[in-house]
């Protein structure tokens, strides 16, 4: 179960000066994309994925597992969720591989660490990217859908994953700022 605490205050959060990274290391600038449609979408999705990872890196496991907000959202839960969502949309739905969907619950598993969650996310990204680059036509529908609709196209899934990852990158940014005061993309 995710631990929920009162919102961080200057008395409870880690002081910003304790962040071992220089301030500019906390800000990931948007990418330049001068590519075709797939290349542009992959570039922006990669940028957002990396922003989420950077927000979780360096946060102790206990702090990453703890939620400072009433919804119960934690940094570790966000990384875990995004890894499963990548696999569910690209591998399970589009490619049609596997019988059971990945568990995309935001609650970190017992014993899950920041390091293991980031490694699982990076593995999910590699698998998803292989499916994306193997798709020869972004308009072709996948094998099945996670929603109660016809299977969506790769174009739709990419747009959805940019939206989903961007939304959660914003959540991660706020959670990290509540933890140690660091801000930036």
């Amino acid at each position: 179960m995710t631990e929920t605490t009162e919102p961080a205050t200057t008395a409870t959060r880690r002081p910003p000066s304790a962040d071992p990274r220089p301030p500019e290391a906390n800000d990931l600038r948007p990418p330049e994309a001068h590519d075709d449609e797939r290349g542009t979408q992959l570039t922006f999705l990669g940028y957002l994925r990396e922003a989420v990872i950077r927000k979780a890196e360096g946060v102790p496991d206990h702090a990453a597992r703890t939620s400072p907000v009433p919804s119960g959202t934690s940094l570790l839960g966000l990384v875990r969720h995004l890894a499963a969502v990548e696999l569910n949309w690209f591998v399970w739905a589009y490619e049609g591989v596997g019988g059971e969907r990945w568990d995309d619950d935001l609650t970190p598993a017992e014993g899950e660490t920041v390091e293991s969650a980031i490694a699982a996310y990076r593995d999910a990204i590699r698998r998803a990217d292989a499916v994306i680059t193997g798709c020869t036509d972004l308009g072709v529908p996948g094998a099945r859908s996670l929603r109660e609709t016809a299977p969506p196209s790769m174009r739709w899934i990419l747009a959805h994953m940019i939206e989903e990852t961007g939304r959660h990158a914003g959540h991660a940014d706020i959670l990290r700022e509540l933890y140690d005061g660091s801000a930036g993309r």
Side-chain angles (χ1 to χ4, degrees):
M1 180 146 189
T2 304
E3 298 173 36
T4 304
T5 62
E6 293 298 314
T9 65
T10 53
T12 60
R13 76 174 183 208
R14 185 171 150 187
S17 60
D19 189 341
R21 299 177 296 183
E24 64 276 6
N26 294 329
D27 197 22
L28 182 63
R29 306 302 301 170
E32 297 258 345
H34 306 286
D35 208 344
D36 63 3
E37 180 183 9
R38 178 193 332 263
T40 300
Q41 288 179 323
L42 266 173
T43 298
F44 275 88
L45 182 55
Y47 157 70
L48 293 168
R49 290 163 165 169
E50 188 60 29
V52 170
I53 289 169
R54 289 173 65 148
K55 289 299 168 180
E57 286 178 328
V59 176
D61 295 333
H62 179 267
R65 177 179 295 282
T66 302
S67 175
V69 295
S71 68
T73 304
S74 69
L75 278 169
L76 190 55
L78 286 174
V79 174
R80 172 186 206 289
H81 170 74
L82 284 170
V85 169
E86 292 266 353
L87 294 169
N88 282 332
W89 275 113
F90 293 111
V91 179
W92 187 88
Y94 192 82
E95 195 174 39
V97 173
E100 294 292 317
R101 293 168 31 182
W102 280 267
D103 177 10
D104 63 4
D105 186 50
L106 284 165
T107 305
E110 188 66 36
E112 195 166 22
T113 66
V114 172
E115 184 179 346
S116 69
I118 289 173
Y121 188 32
R122 288 194 188 281
D123 183 59
I125 289 167
R126 278 190 291 280
R127 291 182 69 184
D129 284 352
V131 174
I132 297 164
T133 58
C135 175
T136 58
D137 181 348
L138 298 180
V140 172
R144 52 192 169 191
S145 181
L146 289 172
R147 305 173 327 141
E148 303 213 4
T149 62
S153 67
M154 179 60 76
R155 180 178 289 110
W156 185 94
I157 294 172
L158 281 166
H160 172 69
M161 287 305 300
I162 290 167
E163 176 273 328
E164 171 108 359
T165 308
R167 187 165 38 96
H168 291 318
H171 297 150
D173 189 36
I174 291 166
L175 293 171
R176 180 65 187 250
E177 186 174 358
L178 287 171
Y179 167 63
D180 67 4
S182 67
R185 292 168 283 240

